[in-house]
Amino acid sequence: MLKTIQTQSLKAGMYVVKLHGPWLQHPFWRTRFVVDQDDVDTLLARPVDRVDIDTDRGGDVDAAGNEDANGPMPCADDAAFVLAAGLPPKSGGAQAHAGMGDELARARLICDDGRALVEAMFGELRMGRTIVLDGARDLAARIDASVSRNPLALVSLARLKTADDYTYLHSVAVAGLMSAVARDLALPEQQRERAAIAGLLHDMGKAHVPPSILNKPGKLLDEEMALMRDHPAAGERLLRDAGLEDADVLHVVRHHHERMDGNGYPDRLAAEDLPVLTRISAVCDVYDAITSNRPYKAGWDPAESLRRMASWQGHFDPLALKSLVRVLGIYPVGSLVRLASDLLAVVVAPGDHPLAPPRVRIFFSARSRSHVFRRDVDLGASSDRIVGIESAQAWGFRDLEKLWIP
């Protein structure tokens, strides 16, 4: 049962489904979650005068406004991905100016050209030649322009790559993600330009790793892993030889596998030695890697990937990770979700802001295990809601992208 209560009556253990107030002025990534006492204290200090609670999923209030101690226990799954105390989107952040469908058509051309360019640069490096970077700079500018028009089109499309395409399209995807995060964080224009070119070039060192190791379907041997771990330093050397002098870009190339807790490679740098673009690159590189099909594993669901990344203590800069979540949404485009109605749907577009429920395309009934008539639903204006993330692989679904790519 849904109830609207004054924020002063909110108690730990209640399940909040809506916050009444300016969404930019509260720090929560979701509006549906079980609150603890810290959450209550945070809301009381913000301009949120009322909240809606679901008494079937959390505590209730009695007639006097007191907590009902006999209310249902909080659901751990619902509380698992509450990223509290996040920064609000900056005024200079990425804004969608083009429709998803329109920008996907342009993004497809960028991905095709990007794959060909990165493959050609790898080929030159493998033959011992010095690469020319003019084409990479031009492509980075096109990637950044696409992200400025719609931050989701290119990054969503570039995630859909085969295992054979991974090495080349991964660079395009990371460039788009870094550009989008840099815009969300309102970095200066020069830094945004560097973000895109750094993402595009960050894995050039893999050109010196034999394809048999890059595409190996099984576990790498120790000597093979050593070669893989040398690719950041190799990439820095190759790009210096090509005449690249930008210190920020070179730092990303060498250090995108460093960690905030100092346990990364190749130099085990401490957090204070990691500039902002390098911190952004670490988040974007991992997100695209774990959501992509690789020779040795299928990609994870994008929404589940963000949740797992949020649980890796000491790995990422928290502000960079929260910015990525702002860019992609809690449920990125292409996520397979289960609704309270036991229907399965694919996320086709984000809500009006990162906290808003997304728009989904319903296509399957989990209850009857059969396809249903496809229809689009804006969950922000629906009584239905997302109750969990599903695995396309477990359900045997293939080519889910056909449900959301025009």
Side-chain angles (χ1 to χ4, degrees):
M1 178 179 175
L2 300 182
K3 288 184 179 181
T4 300
I5 64 172
Q6 297 296 314
T7 306
Q8 288 85 349
S9 298
L10 187 66
K11 304 292 182 182
M14 292 183 177
Y15 187 92
V16 170
V17 297
K18 184 176 181 180
L19 305 172
H20 294 267
W23 75 272
L24 284 175
Q25 308 219 0
H26 66 73
F28 301 102
W29 292 106
R30 299 178 68 185
T31 52
R32 295 173 180 267
F33 57 96
V34 177
V35 294
D36 58 23
Q37 190 57 50
D38 287 341
D39 298 331
V40 173
D41 293 340
T42 298
L43 283 170
L44 288 173
R46 302 296 177 112
V48 179
D49 56 347
R50 291 172 298 135
V51 299
D52 290 354
I53 62 171
D54 186 343
T55 60
D56 292 332
R57 307 187 72 183
D60 198 355
V61 293
D62 60 21
N66 297 318
E67 179 184 2
D68 178 3
N70 296 318
M73 293 294 290
C75 173
D77 289 341
D78 294 321
F81 193 52
V82 179
L83 290 179
L87 294 179
K90 303 293 181 63
S91 59
Q95 301 293 329
H97 301 297
M100 187 74 165
D102 291 341
E103 193 56 39
L104 279 171
R106 288 187 284 258
R108 185 176 285 109
L109 292 175
I110 293 174
C111 286
D112 290 344
D113 292 346
R115 186 203 182 284
L117 175 67
V118 175
E119 184 176 20
M121 288 195 294
F122 267 56
E124 292 292 294
L125 291 171
R126 282 169 175 160
M127 289 187 288
R129 298 172 181 168
T130 300
I131 56 174
V132 177
L133 297 175
D134 290 347
R137 293 188 179 96
D138 291 343
L139 181 65
R142 291 173 62 194
I143 290 171
D144 185 59
S146 176
V147 168
S148 73
R149 291 188 295 265
N150 186 306
L152 294 178
L154 186 139
V155 299
S156 300
L157 188 64
R159 193 188 71 242
L160 304 174
K161 57 185 78 69
T162 66
D164 292 336
D165 285 337
Y166 173 78
T167 299
Y168 309 119
L169 276 176
H170 173 64
S171 296
V172 178
V174 173
L177 289 166
M178 288 188 64
S179 173
V181 171
R183 286 178 174 274
D184 176 76
L185 293 174
L187 296 187
E189 183 177 357
Q190 278 192 329
Q191 287 290 81
R192 298 200 299 265
E193 294 172 354
R194 290 185 178 113
I197 190 68
L200 195 58
L201 298 176
H202 79 287
D203 262 352
M204 281 295 115
K206 285 185 177 178
H208 278 193
V209 179
S212 59
I213 295 177
L214 287 176
N215 301 319
K216 185 175 180 178
K219 184 178 179 180
L220 297 181
L221 301 175
D222 289 346
E223 56 269 25
E224 294 171 334
M225 181 61 74
L227 277 174
M228 279 293 291
R229 286 186 167 239
D230 185 56
H231 82 265
E236 181 193 26
R237 292 193 300 270
L238 292 170
L239 290 171
R240 286 188 186 277
D241 290 343
L244 183 66
E245 298 178 349
D246 190 303
D248 288 338
V249 175
L250 290 170
H251 200 280
V252 167
V253 172
R254 183 179 179 90
H255 297 296
H256 60 276
H257 285 295
E258 302 286 356
R259 294 175 40 155
M260 295 296 289
D261 60 9
N263 290 320
Y265 68 90
D267 299 316
R268 299 178 66 88
L269 294 185
E272 57 267 25
D273 296 321
L274 300 176
V276 62
L277 289 189
T278 302
R279 296 179 182 212
I280 292 172
S281 71
V283 170
C284 296
D285 176 66
V286 169
Y287 173 77
D288 185 69
I290 63 179
T291 57
S292 300
N293 291 324
R294 310 283 292 278
Y296 52 87
K297 78 168 186 68
W300 293 345
D301 177 88
E304 177 63 20
S305 296
L306 290 176
R307 284 154 176 74
R308 293 195 189 193
M309 289 172 67
S311 71
W312 296 346
Q313 298 298 317
H315 202 127
F316 305 111
D317 174 68
L319 298 185
L321 178 58
K322 289 171 184 176
S323 176
L324 181 66
V325 175
R326 278 199 298 269
V327 167
L328 299 174
I330 295 295
Y331 299 100
V333 171
S335 298
L336 178 64
V337 296
R338 182 190 288 256
L339 305 181
S341 57
D342 257 353
L343 295 170
L344 301 187
V346 172
V347 175
V348 296
D352 294 332
H353 56 75
L355 295 169
R359 287 180 281 278
V360 301
R361 183 159 296 152
I362 294 171
F363 71 99
F364 196 84
S365 169
R367 189 176 301 151
S368 64
R369 303 185 72 85
S370 62
H371 287 270
V372 298
F373 180 75
R374 293 181 188 176
R375 61 188 186 276
D376 291 356
V377 175
D378 181 354
L379 294 179
S382 170
S383 59
D384 215 344
R385 67 183 189 278
I386 295 174
V387 296
I389 304 165
E390 295 291 325
S391 165
Q393 188 176 16
W395 280 96
F397 297 144
R398 296 182 179 180
D399 302 325
L400 279 183
E401 64 272 14
K402 293 179 180 178
L403 290 174
W404 62 269
I405 296 180

